Amino acid sequence: MNEPSDSTLAIRRYGNDPQMISTASGQLAWVILAVVVAGMPHLLAVQPWVPVLLATISIWRFMATIRGWKLPGAWVRIPLTVLGFLAVLVSYRRISGVDAGSALLLVMIALKLIETRRERDRRIIIFICYFLLFAGFLRDQPIWAMVYLPVSILVTTTALMQNCRFGPLIGPGRSLMMTGRLILQAIPLMLILFFLFPRIPGPFWALPQPGGSGISGLSEQMSPGDITQLGLSDEVAFRVRFDGPVPAARELYWRGPVLSNFDGRSWSMRAPVPRKQPPVSASGAHAAYRYDLTLEPNGRRWLLALETPAAWSAPRAFLSADYQLLRSSPVTQRISYRGQSYMTGRTPADRPPTAFSDVRVLPANSNPRARALAAEMRAQAANDSDYLLAVLGMFRQQPYFYTLTPPRLGQQAVDEFLFDTRAGFCEHYASAFAVLARAAGLPARVVTGYQGAEFNPLGEYWIVRQSNAHAWTEVWLNDT
């Protein structure tokens, strides 16, 4: 069943007054202008079909208003909405993230235009335009945005003001001036909120980047193959001052998120479980290190500790069964705590190796070539230790390359890395090594954190930057 057109609705509400009918059409024109202005910074970053869809529906919707065409009913709109959602999901393999999220917003705005008949519908679209305007800063912060953003806010707010009117529309020049005065009056409140309201810790450019690019740092998930251009961030992650001896550079592994869940392509954290046994204790074979660590805000629950943590002074913090140091609430401001770690050379476990079934799991039908390689190499090795040494030797001796600009990988990411591209950075190698270990029946997981530190001779402390972010593999060997 078709819905009435804008002209029909205007006649029902205002009678045959041509002035009021013109007002309804003019309000929709302002909405479409706001959509164009807000969507412009995203058009070159999303898949080409998205701006084509938006432009086609916008033109059709404006023509429908002018000519009084009937709007499609729910039997058309609902399938189109489902198809639009699935198209974004197929194109980006997700609906979250800067690129996929922007594309989804643009598609939903286009589909919302199809059913826009009343003031409320138009206002909803304008509010979504505000989200689009500021979503652009999650992708990039170019110089031209300093001019474009105020202008786009001015146009979008003018569209909102015009759509809140019940009488004739104001002329473009006068309406823009009125909106400008409103924005100027809001600046004092904006400044108060800017200085007093809590803000996201760290710059926006530390968030995952679109188009296969990324910035070094830690996350609760790792998907080797998604990032094709990794930038090294100089942002400080934390500072450390050692009380006593300082570990050698090769021992500066700062343990962070532990990724145990593997879906065939991506690694993620499992729900943290506190350790049932006390942390590792000192013994004559363990080198002990004490340090004071000042952690920058990261908005996450994890804390950093030198391998292997034994004691800490951070309040409301606990050690998980994965030897990950966590706190009960996110780190939203700089905190300092004292830590103590022992270089054990191994990470003790709360459970016998027979109970490690969850970190032996590989999804069915995932990375079959890696499974076959693991079976072949394990059959040629005398024991598990020799097998792992053979895998390490393969990476050293065969033409594998470390690069910050690796090719994009598909669904069978480990297979493609091992046999096709042979190029990647630490997360590619850590993921492949863990999969090969699991394929041979060995419990394995990926550990992320930081490796190394830079000494500041003036303050006599060490600086760990986001460029020190690293990933490595942890394998349980029953014979060691």
Side-chain angles (χ1 to χ4, degrees):
M1 180 177 179
N2 289 338
E3 299 288 346
S5 66
D6 296 282
S7 301
T8 303
L9 286 171
I11 291 172
R12 289 178 183 175
R13 181 171 182 180
Y14 306 117
N16 290 311
D17 185 349
Q19 180 64 46
M20 301 310 295
I21 296 175
S22 175
T23 297
S25 302
Q27 288 175 332
L28 181 64
W30 273 103
V31 170
I32 294 177
L33 178 61
V35 170
V36 172
V37 171
M40 194 69 68
H42 301 273
L43 297 184
L44 296 179
V46 297
Q47 295 287 342
W49 65 267
V50 176
V52 171
L53 175 69
L54 181 62
T56 302
I57 292 181
S58 298
I59 294 172
W60 176 88
R61 185 65 184 84
F62 190 69
M63 294 299 297
T65 300
I66 295 176
R67 301 194 177 185
W69 296 341
K70 290 185 177 181
L71 303 183
W75 63 274
V76 173
R77 299 197 307 268
I78 293 176
L80 283 177
T81 302
V82 174
L83 287 175
F85 178 86
L86 292 177
V88 173
L89 188 61
V90 170
S91 298
Y92 294 92
R93 294 182 300 189
R94 66 183 69 182
I95 58 173
S96 60
V98 179
D99 278 351
S102 300
L104 185 61
L105 277 177
L106 291 170
V107 170
M108 291 301 107
I109 282 181
L111 297 175
K112 183 65 177 175
L113 281 172
I114 295 179
E115 68 167 6
T116 300
R117 297 177 299 278
R118 298 173 178 84
E119 292 88 345
R120 177 181 178 274
D121 298 326
R122 295 193 290 266
R123 292 171 190 169
I124 289 175
I125 292 179
I126 293 173
F127 289 142
I128 297 176
C129 287
Y130 284 113
F131 280 99
L132 272 176
L133 288 174
F134 293 103
F137 281 96
L138 300 180
R139 175 180 291 106
D140 195 9
Q141 298 182 35
I143 296 297
W144 57 261
M146 296 178 62
V147 176
Y148 188 83
L149 182 63
V151 172
S152 57
I153 291 177
L154 180 66
V155 172
T156 306
T157 307
T158 302
L160 179 61
M161 184 185 68
Q162 296 280 34
N163 276 270
C164 290
R165 293 186 58 81
F166 292 98
L169 295 185
I170 305 174
R174 184 184 170 197
S175 62
L176 288 170
M177 289 182 63
M178 291 178 61
T179 304
R181 287 197 297 268
L182 289 174
I183 293 176
L184 289 175
Q185 293 170 10
I187 288 179
L189 178 60
M190 178 198 71
L191 293 175
I192 293 174
L193 293 176
F194 178 81
F195 288 108
L196 299 182
F197 198 82
R199 299 188 295 277
I200 296 175
F204 279 131
W205 52 82
L207 297 175
Q209 301 295 302
S213 63
I215 298 295
S216 55
L218 298 188
S219 175
E220 294 179 349
Q221 185 173 351
M222 187 183 82
S223 299
D226 282 354
I227 295 178
T228 59
Q229 184 175 358
L230 181 67
L232 298 180
S233 171
D234 287 333
E235 183 185 358
V236 174
F238 57 92
R239 298 172 176 84
V240 181
R241 191 186 304 273
F242 285 94
D243 181 12
V246 178
R250 66 177 182 277
E251 296 178 324
L252 289 174
Y253 280 84
W254 305 95
R255 191 179 185 89
V258 180
L259 312 180
S260 299
N261 297 330
F262 182 61
D263 63 5
R265 192 176 191 279
S266 300
W267 295 84
S268 60
M269 293 175 55
R270 61 183 174 187
V273 178
R275 283 184 57 82
K276 297 179 181 179
Q277 299 177 3
V280 62
S281 58
S283 71
H286 298 160
Y289 296 98
R290 296 175 178 84
Y291 49 89
D292 293 299
L293 192 148
T294 302
L295 181 64
E296 295 296 316
N298 53 36
R300 309 287 186 167
R301 291 179 54 198
W302 64 65
L303 304 177
L304 279 300
L306 190 66
E307 291 271 25
T308 300
W312 54 91
S313 64
R316 303 186 305 279
F318 66 94
L319 196 66
S320 73
D322 295 333
Y323 265 79
Q324 180 178 348
L325 192 58
L326 297 160
R327 73 194 307 248
S328 57
S329 58
V331 181
T332 57
Q333 58 185 0
R334 184 182 294 128
I335 63 171
S336 297
Y337 53 92
R338 188 169 180 80
Q340 180 173 318
S341 299
Y342 295 105
M343 296 298 175
T344 65
R346 67 182 68 183
T347 301
D350 287 338
R351 47 188 175 168
T354 55
F356 279 103
S357 58
D358 56 334
V359 286
R360 285 191 175 97
V361 174
L362 288 177
N365 302 320
S366 70
N367 302 292
R369 290 188 288 174
R371 292 171 184 261
L373 175 64
E376 178 184 350
M377 295 182 67
R378 182 62 185 89
Q380 298 173 359
N383 52 47
D384 293 338
S385 297
D386 288 347
Y387 166 70
L388 295 178
L389 290 175
V391 173
L392 291 175
M394 176 188 71
F395 286 130
R396 295 191 186 101
Q397 298 164 13
Q398 295 189 19
Y400 286 92
F401 304 96
Y402 187 94
T403 176
L404 298 180
T405 56
R408 184 181 292 275
L409 303 177
Q411 194 61 33
Q412 306 291 353
V414 173
D415 274 0
E416 294 179 23
F417 167 70
L418 287 174
F419 298 96
D420 301 328
T421 65
R422 292 177 171 245
F425 45 91
C426 56
E427 67 177 30
H428 295 75
Y429 290 91
S431 175
F433 192 79
V435 168
L436 290 174
R438 288 191 180 189
L442 298 174
R445 60 197 179 197
V446 175
V447 182
T448 61
Y450 299 90
Q451 203 286 317
E454 174 187 350
F455 184 64
N456 182 343
L458 297 179
E460 296 186 348
Y461 60 84
W462 297 79
I463 300 175
V464 179
R465 303 183 185 276
Q466 295 295 351
S467 57
N468 294 112
H470 191 49
W472 58 94
T473 309
E474 200 167 59
V475 183
W476 173 270
L477 289 176
N478 193 29
D479 56 351
T480 60

